[in-house]
Amino acid sequence: MPDRPHAEPLPYAPLRLEDYDISPTHGFLPAEPPLRRLPDPYYAPWEHIMDRFNHYLLGHHIRRLMPVLGTDRLSTQAEYRRAFTVLSFLAHAYVWGRGGAAAEPALQFLPASIAVPWVAVSDFLELNPVVCCAAVCHWNWQVLDEDAEDPMALDNLGTLHTFSGSMDESWFYLVTTAIEAKCARGLTAILAATAAAERDAIDDVTEALGHMAHALAEANAILERMYERCDPYVFYWKIREFLAGWENMAEAGLPYGVLYEGVDDIRAFGLDSWPALIRRFRKYAGGSAAQTPLLQAFDIALGIKHYPTGQRGLQSTVAEMRHRTKAQDISEAPPANSYLVRMRDYMPGGHRRFLEDLAATCRIREYVLLACSDSLLHMGGRSDPRVRLREAYNSCIGLMESFRNKHMMMVTRYIIAPAKMGPALPHQKCPAAAPDASDGTSAASAASAAAAAAAAAAAAMPARECPLQGGRMGGDSLPADPTMYPQTNTAAAAAAAAAAAAAAAHSEADAQGKGRLARKLGDGSVARGTGGTDAIQFLKQVHSETARSKVPRHVV
């Protein structure tokens, strides 16, 4: 898609969510619950597998041959979304399912029965053919009680499919689904604030920013509930691998990516043309929180800039805003974080275009900076509308900072700590609780400290005294049922340790998770996210850039 020229900015025109396949009530989720199955009997071979998907995956039947079905009998957007979700589950189960042998490598090819229709459906929806946030969170939910006071409340949602068949995986997806639903009002508020800034209605901008802050506060509250029913051990060792893509995954068994049979013609290649064949392999990132348009929409609306990982840029200044206002032009955009930009290719086309058009029209941060540029404003009280505007804007920035801090702490608990501890006995030695850095002063160091504290706490704390950190804790703080989740049964720690030692001696490669995404990390190893990035380094920088976006009391 060609970039719009910077020399000819578009005149302001109010955006309509409906023009981008966005619901005013459900945001980036479909307005109606996703289809539970495709209505045309032609697609019964797919749906037959999905009806017993976990059984087939458990019995290693996913890799059996299926017929190649066309996509010409899909007729609605909902049917294409259902087909994409089904094929995503089939494809990742095929690649990562391992066919019954723990040491068996991931498969480097997809059969035409999956690859051909998957690519066709992806082209229609305008996103990459790989598991993404849309497949598992946006188009994979159902309402349990349609007459509930809040049908889209987290406790009233269920998933249609999971790889593991566990509550942990369902909860992991549904937390994101509930956040998307609750923040729909935030998207409406973003458009209201943008329009109000264009007509210089300062009170209306402040009010819209208040609605944005309310949506972000609800998102923070829902995210904190991740720990209730998603166990770090289950997530890291049983779920996470299925969400991985095939980019930067050489250490997980996919050095070249994955070949899509029937799509990328390989018949002309022989053994003597291996280098040319390698170039036909596809490399896609896996499912990532960066693939939801929601946070990127708030970033754009609030003018939070993200730069390439490892580089530090500057947020907009009042001088820049005055220059741009005088020139009535859009200055050359600074280099953006390439990973975040690439993640837009894993969003449906309408949602990606919304972000692009929002970036071309939204000037909320510029408006706030110009309105608050008076050198004496810091002496004003809350009766001054400019003070209220600045406070409303900074409240949104603070909530975005808090959300990213919580996310970083979760990566520490759900990825870094389990990777450092290894697969043998997940809850015998628990990581220390992550430090609270909600004030934004030490979030980056807190994540590093939490990862380091996991190993120290594991060595120092007896199993019987170890609290269950980030485990399946209900609202009454009762521990998980040890019969369902034996890794939480600290009373059986000694027996489990002996069994784990025997298993490790029997299969060292499997115990360390060699050749897999979920594996024990040694000193100096990088914990990669399912998107293939260095997770902590990326999140630290994104959090820091968000924190630096606050407008100070005395703007210069």
Side-chain angles (χ1 to χ4, degrees):
M1 184 177 298
D3 295 331
R4 294 191 175 96
H6 294 291
E8 300 179 4
L10 293 175
Y12 172 74
L15 304 183
R16 297 176 64 253
L17 296 177
E18 296 87 344
D19 294 340
Y20 302 92
D21 196 26
I22 303 172
S23 166
T25 58
H26 289 66
F28 295 107
L29 305 178
E32 298 295 328
L35 294 178
R36 298 190 182 192
R37 63 189 308 109
L38 292 168
D40 194 326
Y42 174 74
Y43 297 105
W46 294 351
E47 296 293 359
H48 175 72
I49 295 176
M50 297 310 296
D51 287 340
R52 303 163 70 182
F53 177 76
N54 297 117
H55 300 289
Y56 283 126
L57 185 56
L58 182 65
H60 317 297
H61 288 225
I62 294 294
R63 290 179 174 177
R64 295 186 176 182
L65 294 177
M66 294 188 302
V68 180
L69 303 181
T71 59
D72 55 308
R73 299 177 73 159
L74 300 172
S75 58
T76 67
Q77 191 86 355
E79 290 180 9
Y80 274 95
R81 291 169 179 162
R82 170 65 184 171
F84 183 86
T85 296
V86 167
L87 291 165
S88 295
F89 273 89
L90 293 176
H92 281 246
Y94 192 94
V95 170
W96 298 112
R98 302 199 177 269
E104 181 180 336
L107 290 185
Q108 300 184 61
F109 69 92
L110 275 178
S113 57
I114 297 176
V116 170
W118 200 20
V119 170
V121 169
S122 300
D123 288 345
F124 178 86
L125 295 172
E126 301 178 74
L127 75 172
N128 288 332
V130 70
V131 155
C132 58
C133 187
V136 296
C137 298
H138 293 183
W139 305 334
N140 185 37
W141 54 273
Q142 58 182 311
V143 175
L144 303 181
D145 181 3
E146 296 181 357
D147 297 325
E149 181 178 354
D150 182 4
M152 295 302 294
L154 177 56
D155 294 311
N156 196 47
L157 297 176
T159 52
L160 297 177
H161 304 291
T162 64
F163 290 100
S164 65
S166 67
M167 291 189 301
D168 306 74
E169 187 176 354
S170 289
W171 193 254
F172 178 73
Y173 299 153
L174 293 174
V175 165
T176 298
T177 304
I179 288 173
E180 296 280 355
K182 285 296 182 183
C183 284
R185 69 188 72 180
L187 298 176
T188 302
I190 286 173
L191 299 188
T194 301
E198 287 292 326
R199 62 176 187 271
D200 193 18
I202 188 169
D203 290 336
D204 291 346
V205 175
T206 302
E207 180 181 2
L209 285 169
H211 292 309
M212 291 167 60
H214 181 73
L216 288 171
E218 288 192 306
N220 272 268
I222 295 172
L223 185 63
E224 288 179 343
R225 297 190 62 189
M226 180 68 75
Y227 301 107
E228 290 181 16
R229 298 179 186 177
C230 184
D231 184 276
Y233 172 83
V234 177
F235 172 77
Y236 185 79
W237 293 104
K238 305 299 181 184
I239 299 169
R240 184 170 173 262
E241 183 171 57
F242 287 106
L243 301 177
W246 7 103
E247 182 177 59
N248 296 330
M249 289 295 163
E251 53 201 5
L254 298 177
Y256 309 113
V258 170
L259 191 67
Y260 287 48
E261 291 184 342
V263 180
D264 304 314
D265 188 13
I266 63 173
R267 289 172 297 179
F269 293 96
L271 294 177
D272 57 343
S273 55
W274 177 247
L277 177 61
I278 291 299
R279 290 194 290 271
R280 297 290 181 128
F281 281 68
R282 297 182 178 221
K283 292 186 177 182
Y284 296 123
S288 169
Q291 293 165 356
T292 171
L294 184 64
L295 289 182
Q296 292 208 34
F298 274 95
D299 275 337
I300 292 170
L302 296 170
I304 302 172
K305 292 184 173 62
H306 298 294
Y307 296 89
T309 304
Q311 299 182 24
R312 177 169 178 171
L314 297 175
Q315 299 298 334
S316 302
T317 64
V318 172
E320 290 173 347
M321 296 307 102
R322 286 174 172 162
H323 174 74
R324 292 173 64 179
T325 301
K326 181 179 179 180
Q328 290 295 305
D329 196 358
I330 299 178
S331 61
E332 189 71 23
N337 185 290
S338 59
Y339 178 72
L340 289 174
V341 173
R342 282 197 307 113
M343 288 302 100
R344 296 184 185 181
D345 291 335
Y346 299 79
M347 303 175 187
H351 299 173
R352 181 170 58 252
R353 284 187 288 275
F354 173 74
L355 297 180
E356 294 167 351
D357 290 347
L358 182 65
T361 58
C362 186
R363 298 289 177 263
I364 296 174
R365 179 175 175 83
E366 289 92 328
Y367 181 81
V368 173
L369 288 172
L370 290 172
C372 300
S373 60
D374 190 340
S375 60
L376 300 179
L377 183 60
H378 68 285
M379 301 175 60
R382 295 204 79 254
S383 60
D384 190 323
R386 296 171 299 171
V387 172
R388 295 196 301 272
L389 174 68
R390 183 188 62 212
E391 290 180 352
Y393 175 85
N394 282 344
S395 177
C396 290
I397 296 294
L399 288 163
M400 285 286 286
E401 179 187 0
S402 177
F403 188 92
R404 285 183 161 132
N405 178 56
K406 290 180 175 66
H407 185 207
M408 189 156 51
M409 294 301 102
M410 283 181 182
V411 169
T412 300
R413 290 190 183 186
Y414 282 82
I415 298 178
I416 307 300
K420 294 290 185 182
M421 294 168 65
L425 190 60
H427 283 295
Q428 180 187 7
K429 299 173 181 178
C430 299
D436 182 9
S438 57
D439 60 358
T441 59
S442 60
S445 59
S448 299
M461 186 176 296
R464 62 181 179 276
E465 298 177 4
C466 180
L468 295 178
Q469 296 288 351
R472 191 172 293 88
M473 305 291 287
D476 54 0
S477 298
L478 292 177
D481 181 353
T483 60
M484 291 181 63
Y485 300 91
Q487 69 270 16
T488 65
N489 186 1
T490 56
H506 178 72
S507 178
E508 175 66 18
D510 184 45
Q512 300 301 321
K514 293 181 179 178
R516 307 183 69 163
L517 178 65
R519 65 193 188 284
K520 185 173 181 178
L521 296 181
D523 294 338
S525 298
V526 173
R528 297 193 182 277
T530 47
T533 61
D534 180 341
I536 286 295
Q537 182 185 8
F538 168 75
L539 292 174
K540 281 181 181 179
Q541 179 166 323
V542 168
H543 177 275
S544 177
E545 290 163 342
T546 302
R548 293 200 304 268
S549 298
K550 287 184 178 179
V551 175
R553 292 188 64 192
H554 187 187
V555 181
V556 293

